[in-house]
Amino acid sequence: MRAELLFRDVEAWRPEGWERVDLALGRRVVLARGPDLARSVEAAEVVEGRGRKLVPGLVDVHLHGY
């Protein structure tokens, strides 16, 4: 599999709680998540995530008086 970005060994947030995984991303989409993806994914950029947490970007679109 070819990915734009691969996060290796990162703690990723899920509604069920934190999960230590590898996460492969394409353009604006998660291609795969799971343990040891680094063995089967070729990525343009690899980010070593050990000791780091990954959360979705949250955007507040609630504007008062605009």
Side-chain angles (χ1 to χ4, degrees):
M1 174 188 319
R2 178 89 176 123
E4 295 289 323
L5 183 60
L6 175 67
F7 288 99
R8 288 186 46 181
D9 196 25
V10 69
E11 277 191 75
W13 174 253
R14 297 184 63 138
E16 300 82 27
W18 294 101
E19 175 186 30
R20 182 161 297 281
V21 294
D22 291 349
L23 191 66
L25 302 176
R27 291 191 178 256
R28 301 181 193 183
V29 65
V30 175
L31 298 173
R33 78 184 289 147
D36 297 323
L37 280 181
R39 295 179 186 178
S40 61
V41 173
E42 181 182 329
E45 184 178 352
V46 177
V47 176
E48 293 297 330
R50 182 169 292 276
R52 296 181 178 177
K53 295 186 184 281
L54 186 68
V55 296
L58 304 174
V59 178
D60 185 4
V61 296
H62 185 133
L63 299 173
H64 286 280
Y66 185 71

